[in-house]
Amino acid sequence: MDSYLTSGESHHASGEHTHDEEGNKMFGFIVFLLSESVIFLSFFAGYIVYKITTPNWLPAGISGLEIKDPAINTVILVSSSFVIYLAERALQRHDLMKFRLFLGATMAMGSYFLLGQALEWNSLAFGFTSGVFGGMFYLLTGFHGLHVLTGIILQLIILVRSFNPGNYDTGHFGVNATSLFWHFVDVIWIVLFILIYLWQ
Amino acid sequence: MTNISVKNVNLPSEEPHHESPGNWKEYFSFSTDHKVIGIQYLVTAFIFFLVGGIFAMVIRGELITPESDLVDRTFYNGMFTMHGTVMLFLWTFPSLVGFANYLVPLMIGARDMAFPRLNAVAFWMVPVVGILLMASFFVPGGPAQAGWWAYPPVSLQNPTGHLINGQVVWLLAVAISGVSSIMGAVNFVTTIVKMRAPGMGFFKMPLFVWAVFSAQIIQLFGLPALTAGAVMLLLDLTAGTAFFDPSKGGNPVMFQHYFWFYSHPAVYVIILPIFGIFSEIFPVYSRKPLFGYKVVAISSLLIAVVSAIVWVHHLYVSGTPAWMRMLFMVTTMLVSVPTGIKVFAWVATIWGGKIRLTTPMLFALGALIMFVFAGIVGIMLSSVPVDVHVNNTYFVVGHFHYVLFGTVTMGLYAAIYHWFPKMTGRMYYEGWGKLHFWLTFIGTNLNFLPMHPLGLQGMLRRISSYAPEYEFWNIIASLGSFLLGMSTLPFIFNMVVSWMHGQKAPANPWRAIGLEWLVSSPPPVENFEEIPIVISEPYGYGKSEPLTANIQNQSHPYKPHS
């Protein structure tokens, strides 16, 4: 990532200062993501404790959650992590066309995931207020979905910026951060999928 | 500062994006200068300290007689809830962030924080929090009444039936304060890790910086848990979910876990910077190097780590199983080890020193004495049998007021006096400072010491009327609180008059060691004309080696007028 940050000519021209600022931004963003992951961990810990200690865990009339569609969704979301990595690699090689192509593909996969989740929510027989399970389910999937949406918006921003050649070098922090955020969202989903869908 | 080489430097006057910090209008603007933001934090926090203090005097006024006769119970509940909330979220946190903002970049030889705009945004959220909380007096049903800890199911009650009620406004304010704190924490950690001057390794950092670093790590990894709990409580209140509502199958004790997983470590977020302030002040006014620098530095991090595994001591009587109580009793007592190391280091620093009892030193010594007392009581409270006996009584209230007023607020006063010349370029009046100290010290003990016997005798907290046998100690405590209220008057007078008319301060009036004392008072906009290269250990009092390679201290010590 470091070679990537210094690959643009303007970094050489403006010297060490710019490089430091980029490094600070990335460091700060990583620190922020670590903090953000504690919110998810707190929800996960709550989910585990509630599941173990609540007598009637699933709402009345519900025997469990359908796994097939969420599993397909999971595969698509996790694959998109590799696709955004390919986008990053393409930008490193100054191949803007491929960068845009892979980024577009990532956005499509993320959108498919969100659509799948919306359809699932629509088909479920329980709601947000159906006991602790209902609340936890919608809270976790909803909060994660909000992060997926944020990721897609970030991707849209760096995609639009890539059409302005002036942004080509300065956009690197944005690209790195967006990519890191997307990996983060994917890893969170894997834990979430295991907790909610596989551990029933 | 006349003989400094000026190659490769941006002279302060050439920097276009900051105004001179001497211009008072800048304190009301969206400034990105860490020094302006630091003072903005401090002044804002102090205004809310006065507000929280008035609430406290209403509470003590009510408690001066056994009957509930001064205010009605709903208003009384609002008073103690708002007193706790204001003092924590609008006085102790922001004032310490103010000092950290002002001092950290100066102490590590940086020109500003890593993210100046983020810094300014984080500050401006604080007045928003304050205005929201104050506005809650005017919503139907008045302000939140469930105490600063907002335990459900009490906090889930909504007798007015309105969606916008005191508790919802309270949660919103706390959430905004949390966002502001996370922004600040990201900024501080990045600044300290990435922006130290050349030569300043981690073990050459001043201990205040170490303390801020450790405290902000707690913010980063503790605060999200409170945020999670607050979101769930808000959903229970507004959207009908069942997380903490026992009538819907929820579990109210879960909220206590979320709340204390952050809110106990939060005590260390507040007190670690105070420890840092002690470590800065004692060596200066004892003219001795700090005893055991490295151990004191590492003990800050240790406190941060251990603090994450003590929260259940707030839940001893919440149905916590015995094995878990034992576990958390041990971890809680463990905190006293790194804390004790610090106390011994400070005492060893003062021991045999050439002590100058100026106002900052008096306040720091007073605060240290209060802290030792609070620490001993704290160890008593960590023990399960004692805690079960005095749980929810004034004994606990007395303990944490010795921490939060005796130690934190008095430590803050020490810091304000110590760095006042640096921040304003003026000296304060020593006589008024000493008067302020003695009023505060006597007031603190009169106010909070009686709470211990009251608690041991069984007087519960958060009540507006009590049995007549508790009256004697309550009268003493109330008189102490009014004395504390009065004690702020000489302070305010001193600060205002000194800032306007005080004697001009030299760069280093206390002959202190530390990068912040190498620059003029107040410091120039960009702090350092040339980034210093640090070559010696901090706290080298009595040693002749210079502190930095490229800045020499030209200023003369301050000599007060006779």
Side-chain angles (χ1 to χ4, degrees):
Chain A
M1 232 173 237
D2 221 80
S3 63
Y4 184 49
L5 286 171
T6 51
S7 63
E9 284 191 4
S10 68
H11 292 296
H12 295 298
S14 57
E16 199 191 356
H17 195 56
T18 311
H19 180 239
D20 271 343
E21 274 183 15
E22 293 271 296
N24 288 353
K25 276 193 213 163
M26 204 58 201
F27 183 87
F29 189 71
I30 291 169
V31 169
F32 168 74
L33 279 188
L34 285 172
S35 182
E36 182 87 344
S37 62
V38 181
I39 297 194
F40 279 106
L41 285 177
S42 307
F43 285 141
F44 292 158
Y47 185 89
I48 293 168
V49 175
Y50 274 129
K51 182 164 165 38
I52 292 171
T53 57
T54 309
N56 298 312
W57 177 235
L58 292 176
I62 308 289
S63 59
L65 291 161
E66 186 65 47
I67 296 190
K68 202 187 102 211
D69 288 344
I72 295 170
N73 256 339
T74 305
V75 171
I76 286 170
L77 190 68
V78 172
S79 312
S80 72
S81 242
F82 295 101
V83 180
I84 201 170
Y85 170 73
L86 292 177
E88 248 187 313
R89 286 283 300 273
L91 191 63
Q92 277 173 6
R93 293 191 312 269
H94 305 277
D95 189 345
L96 269 177
M97 280 315 293
K98 277 210 171 127
F99 169 69
R100 289 173 197 143
L101 190 73
F102 286 129
L103 198 61
T106 312
M107 290 168 69
M109 292 162 95
S111 306
Y112 180 89
F113 175 87
L114 275 189
L115 185 72
Q117 196 165 61
L119 291 174
E120 189 198 359
W121 278 19
N122 201 34
S123 69
L124 290 172
F126 61 90
F128 199 31
T129 54
S130 309
V132 180
F133 173 76
M136 270 326 243
F137 174 83
Y138 284 99
L139 179 67
L140 278 172
T141 54
F143 193 55
H144 177 266
L146 214 59
H147 279 72
V148 175
L149 187 64
T150 309
I152 294 172
I153 292 169
L154 291 176
Q155 288 157 8
L156 187 65
I157 292 170
I158 56 172
L159 183 70
V160 170
R161 280 170 65 95
S162 78
F163 285 97
N164 182 349
N167 287 331
Y168 177 62
D169 291 319
T170 54
H172 285 166
F173 161 71
V175 175
N176 285 334
T178 304
S179 171
L180 191 66
F181 185 77
W182 197 248
H183 299 320
F184 166 77
V185 168
D186 283 2
V187 170
I188 294 289
W189 176 259
I190 294 172
V191 182
L192 211 156
F193 182 73
I194 294 170
L195 269 185
I196 295 185
Y197 292 94
L198 298 186
W199 183 40
Q200 286 194 33
Chain B
M1 309 284 292
T2 48
N3 65 342
I4 292 174
S5 117
V6 287
K7 62 180 165 55
N8 296 329
V9 288
N10 295 319
L11 285 174
S13 57
E14 290 170 6
E15 283 295 320
H17 59 282
H18 288 319
E19 280 188 42
S20 153
N23 184 352
W24 63 271
K25 281 180 189 157
E26 206 186 357
Y27 295 113
F28 293 90
S29 71
F30 187 85
S31 172
T32 53
D33 181 353
H34 73 97
K35 298 182 291 295
V36 174
I37 294 173
I39 291 175
Q40 284 176 327
Y41 264 113
L42 281 168
V43 173
T44 311
F46 187 75
I47 290 167
F48 283 111
F49 174 62
L50 295 179
V51 172
I54 289 167
F55 293 166
M57 285 191 278
V58 173
I59 295 169
R60 287 309 326 170
E62 171 61 64
L63 292 175
I64 209 162
T65 57
E67 302 82 30
S68 181
D69 45 10
L70 183 66
V71 289
D72 69 53
R73 285 187 180 170
T74 312
F75 190 75
Y76 181 83
N77 292 344
M79 279 288 113
F80 74 67
T81 301
M82 293 299 270
H83 165 70
T85 309
V86 165
M87 287 306 201
L88 284 163
F89 292 108
L90 291 168
W91 162 238
T92 53
F93 281 112
S95 57
L96 285 161
V97 169
F99 270 114
N101 245 304
Y102 196 97
L103 293 172
V104 165
L106 282 167
M107 283 179 160
I108 63 172
R111 291 223 157 87
D112 206 329
M113 298 282 285
F115 310 114
R117 291 180 65 84
L118 189 71
N119 202 15
V121 172
F123 162 70
W124 282 103
M125 288 180 162
V126 174
V128 172
V129 172
I131 290 165
L132 255 183
L133 282 177
M134 294 309 125
S136 74
F137 278 96
F138 304 101
V139 299
Q145 294 176 35
W148 85 278
W149 56 16
Y151 278 2
V154 176
S155 55
L156 291 177
Q157 291 171 356
N158 182 9
T160 62
H162 288 83
L163 186 64
I164 303 298
N165 58 60
Q167 199 62 49
V168 168
V169 173
W170 185 92
L171 277 166
L172 204 60
V174 170
I176 296 172
S177 157
V179 172
S180 159
S181 295
I182 291 280
M183 285 178 173
V186 167
N187 213 344
F188 281 118
V189 170
T190 307
T191 306
I192 294 169
V193 172
K194 304 282 277 185
M195 292 178 69
R196 279 167 290 129
M200 183 173 275
F202 267 95
F203 285 107
K204 280 185 185 166
M205 286 196 318
L207 286 164
F208 180 74
V209 180
W210 264 103
V212 169
F213 182 62
S214 310
Q216 297 300 325
I217 286 177
I218 297 177
Q219 290 284 56
L220 281 171
F221 296 109
L223 198 47
L226 176 68
T227 312
V231 166
M232 290 160 80
L233 186 64
L234 192 64
L235 290 172
D236 274 3
L237 257 170
T238 56
T241 51
F243 300 119
F244 306 128
D245 192 341
S247 67
K248 295 177 185 166
N251 181 354
V253 177
M254 281 294 282
F255 179 80
Q256 299 188 17
H257 283 282
Y258 279 122
F259 181 82
W260 287 114
F261 183 78
Y262 169 66
S263 296
H264 191 82
V267 175
Y268 304 105
V269 175
I270 301 164
I271 201 125
L272 277 169
I274 297 294
F275 292 166
I277 286 164
F278 287 166
S279 301
E280 298 302 321
I281 286 180
F282 289 135
V284 180
Y285 299 99
S286 309
R287 310 308 309 163
K288 274 179 66 191
L290 191 103
F291 184 89
Y293 164 83
K294 267 193 187 176
V295 188
V296 175
I298 292 169
S299 68
S300 294
L301 270 184
L302 272 180
I303 290 172
V305 172
V306 180
S307 74
I309 46 169
V310 300
W311 81 96
V312 176
H313 68 228
H314 292 270
L315 282 76
Y316 283 160
V317 295
S318 305
T320 307
W323 66 268
M324 213 193 244
R325 296 204 292 201
M326 290 308 288
L327 185 74
F328 282 91
M329 178 167 106
V330 172
T331 55
T332 303
M333 287 182 175
L334 216 60
V335 180
S336 60
V337 177
T339 324
I341 288 172
K342 281 179 189 287
V343 173
F344 281 114
W346 296 321
V347 173
T349 304
I350 302 163
W351 192 270
K354 194 165 178 290
I355 296 167
R356 287 182 288 173
L357 285 178
T358 52
T359 309
M361 184 64 166
L362 280 176
F363 266 107
L365 282 173
L368 179 59
I369 293 167
M370 302 296 191
F371 179 69
V372 170
F373 180 81
I376 292 167
V377 175
I379 294 173
M380 289 168 71
L381 279 172
S382 71
S383 152
V384 176
V386 177
D387 184 82
V388 168
H389 177 64
V390 297
N391 180 66
N392 232 5
T393 69
Y394 261 88
F395 193 78
V396 182
V397 181
H399 162 69
F400 69 71
H401 277 90
Y402 264 81
V403 178
L404 289 169
F405 198 101
T407 315
V408 174
T409 301
M410 282 180 60
L412 276 165
Y413 278 136
I416 291 171
Y417 284 107
H418 182 63
W419 281 289
F420 182 84
K422 180 52 63 188
M423 292 178 168
T424 62
R426 304 272 185 174
M427 299 307 297
Y428 62 85
Y429 295 103
E430 197 66 60
W432 285 96
K434 284 183 175 154
L435 174 70
H436 173 220
F437 167 74
W438 285 111
L439 289 177
T440 311
F441 189 77
I442 295 166
T444 305
N445 285 295
L446 274 183
N447 193 348
F448 305 121
L449 196 64
M451 292 182 176
H452 294 84
L454 277 176
L456 287 175
Q457 288 160 22
M459 180 172 159
L460 293 176
R461 63 196 287 200
R462 299 166 190 236
I463 51 176
S464 61
S465 60
Y466 52 81
E469 65 256 35
Y470 301 133
E471 189 172 14
F472 173 73
W473 287 119
N474 270 306
I475 291 174
I476 306 281
S478 293
L479 293 177
S481 83
F482 302 141
L483 184 64
L484 271 189
M486 266 170 49
S487 76
T488 52
L489 299 178
F491 172 72
I492 296 168
F493 172 80
N494 198 355
M495 292 297 111
V496 173
V497 175
S498 304
W499 203 332
M500 291 193 300
H501 306 295
Q503 196 186 334
K504 289 262 188 219
N508 188 1
W510 316 122
R511 290 185 293 131
I513 293 173
L515 296 182
E516 80 270 33
W517 301 105
L518 297 177
V519 293
S520 62
S521 299
V525 174
E526 292 284 300
N527 295 350
F528 300 95
E529 296 184 5
E530 195 173 351
I531 294 298
I533 298 164
V534 179
I535 56 173
S536 70
E537 304 288 324
Y539 312 108
Y541 293 95
K543 294 176 183 169
S544 58
E545 61 188 74
L547 181 68
T548 71
N550 63 348
I551 295 186
Q552 285 176 11
N553 191 357
Q554 294 296 305
S555 63
H556 297 288
Y558 163 71
K559 289 196 180 65
H561 285 307
S562 52

